[in-house]
């Protein structure tokens, strides 16, 4: 397997490139529009063929590269079945397996941060989008976010993966790159709660400012990454 973790400094977003083998197929998870050229040249440098680009959810802090990547490479664009984004060629449902040249990704419906968020489990790792971050969790105060749904996704789905599963989040703002399920269960301050109510109370007190790009990014991400309006 070929694995690369790429970072967008402006939004603190992680993008993941996973390839089956040199000369084989590749997919991108949560690609950022501004880096489209970088992704395409990296895919070429590694001798890979990009066949799938996936967004874990509709992002509020950066514009997706899905539309541009599909136009440029002919790859299939995918999101979960509840998305309203127009440039998605294929939607996956909870439990569905996505095959990439021998690699298997299992779609896991993990709402909370948004009502259409999915995580992707592959072998020894899980790509959590913003459902579970390192020592943190995705905010639940907009885009149909729901802290109780987030609690259920985290405690009843993600934390039930094997302890040693590597956690690769959709964002980081402090320099963390990877964690494990056991590490997050034990050390994440957000996960030291005893009930969904307690978690909802904690999330309700966060009082975070809106993402800078939200009013541009959300409509653009529903429209294939095209920046609309004025
Ligand atoms: Fe997000």
């Amino acid at each position: 397997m070929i694995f690369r973790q790429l970072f967008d400094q402006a939004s603190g977003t992680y993008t993941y490139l996973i390839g089956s083998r040199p000369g084989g197929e590749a997919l991108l998870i949560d690609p950022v529009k501004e880096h489209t050229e970088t992704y395409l040249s990296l895919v070429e440098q590694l001798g890979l063929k990009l066949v799938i680009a996936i967004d874990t959810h509709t992002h509020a802090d950066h514009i997706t590269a899905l539309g541009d990547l599909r136009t440029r490479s002919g790859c299939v664009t995918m999101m979960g079945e509840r998305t309203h984004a127009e440039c998605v060629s294929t939607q996956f449902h909870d439990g569905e397996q996505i095959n990439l040249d021998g690699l298997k990704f299992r779609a896991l419906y993990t709402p909370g941060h948004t009502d259409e968020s999915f995580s992707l489990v592959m072998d020894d790792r899980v790509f959590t989008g913003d459902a579970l971050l390192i020592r943190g969790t995705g905010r639940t105060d907009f885009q149909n976010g729901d802290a109780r749904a987030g609690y259920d996704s985290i405690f009843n789905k993600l934390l039930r993966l094997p302890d040693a599963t590597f956690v690769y989040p959709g964002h980081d703002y402090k320099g963390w790159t990877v964690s494990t399920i056991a590490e997050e269960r034990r050390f994440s301050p957000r996960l030291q709660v005893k009930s969904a109510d307690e978690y909802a109370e904690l999330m309700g007190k966060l009082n975070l400012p809106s993402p800078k790009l939200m009013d541009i990014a959300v409509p653009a991400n529903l429209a294939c990454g095209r920046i609309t309006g004025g």
Side-chain angles (χ1 to χ4, degrees), residues 56-62 113-114 117 129-130 138-139 142-143 171:
T56 52
H57 62 288
T58 300
H59 299 285
D61 58 356
H62 68 265
H113 173 60
T114 69
S117 295
D130 298 351
R139 62 194 296 175
F142 57 68
Q143 286 191 289
H171 287 291

Side-chain angles (χ1 to χ4, degrees), residues 30-34 36 39 53-55 57-59 62-69 77 79 85 87 217 220-226:
D30 289 334
V32 176
K33 185 178 175 82
E34 284 81 0
T36 301
Y39 304 140
I54 297 179
D55 271 342
H57 62 288
T58 300
H59 299 285
H62 68 265
I63 298 173
T64 179
L66 254 60
D68 290 356
L69 288 168
T77 51
M79 285 184 78
C87 80
N221 288 335
L222 293 172
C224 258
R226 285 191 308 277

Side-chain angles (χ1 to χ4, degrees), residues 17 35-48 69 72:
L17 172 69
H35 304 304
T36 301
E37 294 306 322
T38 308
Y39 304 140
L40 291 170
S41 51
L42 180 59
V43 163
E44 195 187 324
Q45 286 161 3
L46 296 174
L48 295 165
L69 288 168
R72 293 283 306 279

Side-chain angles (χ1 to χ4, degrees), residues 150-161:
Y151 177 91
D152 184 58
S153 295
I154 294 166
F155 282 86
N156 296 324
K157 293 183 177 180
L158 293 168
L159 293 188
R160 291 190 180 177
L161 293 169

Side-chain angles (χ1 to χ4, degrees), residues 115-126:
D115 61 357
E116 38 85 274
S117 295
F118 271 76
S119 299
L120 294 157
V121 182
M122 189 206 56
D123 274 349
D124 61 351
R125 60 199 69 195
V126 58

Side-chain angles (χ1 to χ4, degrees), residues 50-198:
L50 183 67
V51 295
I52 299 171
I54 297 179
D55 271 342
T56 52
H57 62 288
T58 300
H59 299 285
D61 58 356
H62 68 265
I63 298 173
T64 179
L66 254 60
D68 290 356
L69 288 168
R70 184 171 68 174
T71 305
R72 293 283 306 279
S73 71
C75 69
V76 172
T77 51
M78 292 187 184
M79 285 184 78
E81 60 189 345
R82 291 171 195 237
T83 184
H84 297 293
E86 67 174 69
C87 80
V88 171
S89 326
T90 305
Q91 297 184 359
F92 43 78
H93 56 77
D94 190 29
E96 186 168 336
Q97 188 170 289
I98 299 156
N99 295 304
L100 178 85
D101 209 4
L103 300 178
K104 294 174 178 52
F105 295 76
R106 183 165 52 91
L108 193 60
Y109 180 46
T110 49
H113 173 60
T114 69
D115 61 357
E116 38 85 274
S117 295
F118 271 76
S119 299
L120 294 157
V121 182
M122 189 206 56
D123 274 349
D124 61 351
R125 60 199 69 195
V126 58
F127 303 96
T128 52
D130 298 351
L132 179 62
L133 306 175
I134 300 178
R135 308 298 191 263
T137 56
R139 62 194 296 175
T140 53
D141 57 336
F142 57 68
Q143 286 191 289
N144 297 325
D146 180 335
R148 283 180 178 77
Y151 177 91
D152 184 58
S153 295
I154 294 166
F155 282 86
N156 296 324
K157 293 183 177 180
L158 293 168
L159 293 188
R160 291 190 180 177
L161 293 169
D163 276 2
T165 307
F166 290 110
V167 173
Y168 283 102
H171 287 291
D172 193 79
Y173 310 101
K174 293 182 180 165
W176 298 102
T177 53
V178 60
S179 182
T180 65
I181 289 294
E183 200 180 314
E184 288 314 299
R185 184 191 297 114
R186 183 153 175 218
F187 298 116
S188 175
R190 295 262 176 95
L191 306 187
Q192 310 311 308
V193 291
K194 291 187 181 61
S195 66
D197 284 346
E198 201 183 321

